């Protein structure tokens, strides 16, 4: 029987559904600010380096190059969006397609940040998955 879930899938899940929300919501204020600053400055390299570190820690070869990740920042209606585009996914399993940080500045100049992933499930349906401040993953709207 062929294994459906390979090391890349497990690391993508660990990084984008577990580790990033934990850093964003549970880290110290300084850790959160530093993490978000790295994402905004050179997110592509930062995400690749995080992924590479997970590979090394787990003794797995890395399947991705720095150029396989893309990070974009844009604004829509006064809301800032940081988008992380992941390398191609495995259509035979439930996998993450993209990740988003939604952030706004409040009057006291602190960012309000929220984290979402776009996940394609094995059945072909694509949903928004929201990670709340308790790091629970909540299934949102289906995308068409």
């Amino acid at each position: 029987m062929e294994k459906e879930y390979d090391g890349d899938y497990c690391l993508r899940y660990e990084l984008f559904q577990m580790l990033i929300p934990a850093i964003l919501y549970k880290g110290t204020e300084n850790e959160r600010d530093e993490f978000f600053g790295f994402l905004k400055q050179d997110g592509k390299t930062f995400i690749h380096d995080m992924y590479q570190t997970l590979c090394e820690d787990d003794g797995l070869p890395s399947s991705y190059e720095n150029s396989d990740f893309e990070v974009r920042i844009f604004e829509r209606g006064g809301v800032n969006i940081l988008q992380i585009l992941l390398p191609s996914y495995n259509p035979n399993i439930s996998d993450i397609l993209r990740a988003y940080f939604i952030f706004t500045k409040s009057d006291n100049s602190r960012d309000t940040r929220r984290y979402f992933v776009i996940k394609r499930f094995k059945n072909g349906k694509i949903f928004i998955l929201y990670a709340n401040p308790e790091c629970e993953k909540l299934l949102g709207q289906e995308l068409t």
Side-chain angles (χ1 to χ4, degrees):
M1 180 180 207
E2 189 176 324
K3 198 168 66 166
E4 287 184 345
Y5 298 101
D6 61 9
D8 280 329
Y9 166 79
C10 294
L11 292 176
R12 285 166 68 118
Y13 173 83
E14 183 179 349
L15 179 59
F16 291 99
Q17 277 191 236
M18 304 304 289
L19 185 58
I20 289 176
I23 294 169
L24 177 67
Y25 295 125
K26 302 293 184 186
T28 66
E29 187 174 317
N30 211 21
E31 289 169 338
R32 292 189 310 258
D33 289 345
E34 186 176 51
F35 174 76
F36 204 63
F38 287 141
L39 280 174
K40 291 194 294 188
Q41 286 176 341
D42 191 8
K44 176 192 252 185
T45 300
F46 184 59
I47 291 295
H48 175 262
D49 289 351
M50 288 180 71
Y51 186 84
Q52 184 72 27
T53 299
L54 289 175
C55 287
E56 290 169 6
D57 289 349
D58 290 351
L60 297 171
S62 177
S63 301
Y64 303 126
E65 299 294 325
N66 193 25
S67 59
D68 291 328
F69 295 95
E70 188 66 42
V71 175
R72 300 177 185 157
I73 298 176
F74 52 96
E75 184 263 333
R76 292 282 194 287
V79 175
N80 298 297
I81 302 166
L82 186 144
Q83 176 188 55
I84 302 170
L85 301 171
L86 279 67
S88 61
Y89 63 93
N90 181 346
N92 298 319
I93 62 173
S94 299
D95 207 352
I96 301 161
L97 305 178
R98 295 181 300 283
Y100 291 91
F101 289 88
I102 309 298
F103 61 102
T104 58
K105 288 274 191 188
S106 61
D107 291 336
N108 64 5
S109 77
R110 297 293 313 149
D111 282 337
T112 300
R113 302 172 190 147
R114 298 291 178 254
Y115 182 71
F116 301 84
V117 295
I118 305 300
K119 188 164 185 168
R120 182 192 174 279
F121 289 90
K122 193 174 180 176
N123 64 8
K125 294 185 180 211
I126 299 172
F127 285 87
I128 297 171
L129 195 66
Y130 169 59
N132 69 15
E134 289 76 37
C135 293
E136 299 169 319
K137 301 348 171 256
L138 306 171
L139 192 61
Q141 188 93 18
E142 180 180 4
L143 301 176
T144 57

